[in-house]
Amino acid sequence: MSRHDKTPASKLSRRDFIRITGTAGALVSLPSLLTACDSNNRSQKASVGNASFQHGVASGDPLQDRVMLWTRVSEVTATTQVNWLIASDPLLTNVVNSGTASTSASNDYTVKVDVDGLSPGTTYYYRFTAQGLSSPVGRTKTLPSTGVERARFAAVSCASLPHGFFNAYRRIAERPDLDFVLHLGDYVYEYPGVDPDAEHDYADAVAIAAGRQYSEDNRVEMVTLADYRRRYQNYRLDADLQELHRQYASINIWDDHELANDAWLHGAENHQPDTEGDWGLRNAAARQAYFEWLPIRPAAAGDTLSLERSFKIGSLAEILTLDTRLIGREQQPEGTAIPGLTSIYVDSDEVAGDERQMLGAPQEARLINNLQSSTAQWKLIAQQVVFAQWRLVGLPNLTNLLSPGGQGGVFINVDQWDAYPRARERIWDAIRGGQPAPNVAIDNVVILTGDVHSSWAEDITEDPTNLLAYNPLTGDGSMAVEFVCPSVTSPGEFPDTPVTVPAFLTQNPHIKFGDIQNKGYILVDITAERCQSEWYFIGDHLAPNDVEALAAVYKTDNGAHRASTGTVSEPIANAPAFAPGGGRSVLASG
């Protein structure tokens, strides 16, 4: 865990108060609906009768003709009917579809509706109603089908609530011109979050003192279905997270902490069968809660395992989502622990196994086939763990005498693709146009990654320290690029010193940009000419604030397959109106 600036959290400003509670006019007109607001946690609650929408609304998995809508009905104890509508205008006067859904304790009183019959590339507004109370109005957008000249979205990952405020979510929600938000995992964390000094905890003393702590009935490690559900309930009371979901559709994939740290097919580093029971039961509970609480479309009714989806943005781009955790990943190697790092290892013995799996053979084959068959100009892979090599000691591959033909050097993270080198090489071969058939190189592959609580722009090349295979000055030899987004709040995993990044880059010349300290998000902007990532860092995440700054811009030009510096993109003109209101429930009309 990295060291943090221990500046005390500030009190809420007037702007923060208005952001939470809404305008003065709303306060006057709806006094009976207001309840006390926890200013430190930026959460809110409004209710009438036996129902309320304390956890806001959300939308997700947008396609060209449909989108998932989500909410949860609070303070009910029986099966409840929920009406929904979706309209083309913020005032909900031009309703294009509507219906009724049922919810009960069996799905934790969440509501998910797959609304079809929508027009491509169109912004819509939606609302739920139950027992005389309406939810906040949400905004969503379908994906375009033709004539797409530009795509623009934010990507985030790793949001530990007891490590600070979700300022990054708020900054994204304040942008009017995005198509959607891509969440690359660690949406919630399984740890108790109550003791910064405890083994297997995940918390920050200053953030806890500022009120960023789980509710009293939620300060246990998530193991059972009830545990996971309570954690999502706690997270979704956060006003910044609610506003992100209210203004934008999301595309979500899990990483490990939605389940347990360093999860793999048959277990996790943070799962002890002797005290926490069967991994299969815990795994199933975590997945059920995830699908209940996020607007993700299951591959089939009742399927809570598959994360593989495709999102086509006209012919400009296609996003392919993966699961590097549960479908087929074999257990991480142990490595050799050294002070200040997780472990070190080389490409030999168990790591070097030809059949060692990260994705599992079926998912790997589907990914390669989807890349080869995609007609989109840009192929984006949304996945969890770093794909490029990360070496403590960078050496050419030919120096690996323990595993001839394998990767050279000393690696530092057992949980990423480095520990599954043959699986990664099979994907490299496909991108290069090697095997399998049709043996055609795949252009414009961009990998989007979270997990490591830091920011990176990287060339993807097989042998980054071999000048005969890769030129770090020109990028010749690179086949693709990887953009890694920072965490929203979660602490850094590198030793936090002034020389850490410069020293690391000397051993990894394929890495063009790195930052291990700052929190924030990336903005991905795509045109026919280039796909680029802009890193936006927020201010102090241990206090609510409105600060953000552009830190870096890296792009890959059409057909270049390498990362280079770019220039900041211009906002899209004539962006659609935000969803009205401040996310607070109001009385239903009619």
Side-chain angles (χ1 to χ4, degrees), residues 229-245:
R229 282 173 167 175
R230 277 193 294 268
R231 187 59 49 85
Y232 284 99
Q233 291 172 21
N234 213 157
Y235 264 71
R236 292 293 281 271
L237 288 175
D238 183 271
D240 296 331
L241 180 53
Q242 284 195 18
E243 190 66 3
L244 179 77
H245 279 301

Side-chain angles (χ1 to χ4, degrees), residues 47-78:
S47 63
V48 163
N50 297 321
S52 68
F53 294 93
Q54 297 177 23
H55 299 96
V57 298
S59 66
D61 278 12
L63 298 178
Q64 294 168 355
D65 67 338
R66 66 188 59 215
V67 67
M68 296 291 296
L69 302 183
W70 178 97
T71 194
R72 181 179 189 262
V73 185
S74 305
E75 301 184 0
V76 293
T77 58

Side-chain angles (χ1 to χ4, degrees), residues 53 80 83 88 95 112 128 156 184 279 281 302 313 341 353 376 415 433 449 532 573 581 585:
F53 294 93
T80 301
N83 298 317
S88 61
V95 176
K112 291 173 68 172
F128 296 88
V156 292
L184 293 165
W279 168 249
L281 295 176
I313 308 173
L341 291 172
D415 192 48
T449 301
Q532 74 178 29
S585 298

Side-chain angles (χ1 to χ4, degrees), residues 502-585:
F504 188 63
L505 296 184
T506 65
Q507 302 302 308
N508 297 275
H510 58 297
I511 301 179
K512 305 306 175 184
F513 164 72
D515 180 275
I516 62 173
Q517 295 178 328
N518 290 286
K519 314 304 176 192
Y521 63 95
I522 62 174
L523 191 154
V524 180
D525 195 277
I526 308 173
T527 66
E529 292 73 30
R530 80 321 177 245
C531 175
Q532 74 178 29
S533 173
E534 303 171 13
W535 281 263
Y536 284 90
F537 294 157
I538 61 167
D540 179 13
H541 64 290
L542 297 178
N545 66 74
D546 298 331
V547 177
E548 78 169 17
L550 176 67
V553 181
Y554 278 82
K555 65 173 181 173
T556 178
D557 290 322
N558 181 38
H561 315 142
R562 68 198 68 164
S564 59
T565 56
T567 57
V568 63
S569 60
E570 293 293 329
I572 295 177
N574 302 316
F578 283 116
R584 185 170 45 80
S585 298

Side-chain angles (χ1 to χ4, degrees), residues 437-461:
N439 306 102
V440 176
I442 304 170
D443 274 335
N444 297 332
V445 175
V446 176
I447 301 168
L448 301 175
T449 301
D451 183 64
V452 289
H453 311 171
S454 47
S455 301
W456 308 92
E458 307 170 310
D459 283 345
I460 302 299
T461 182

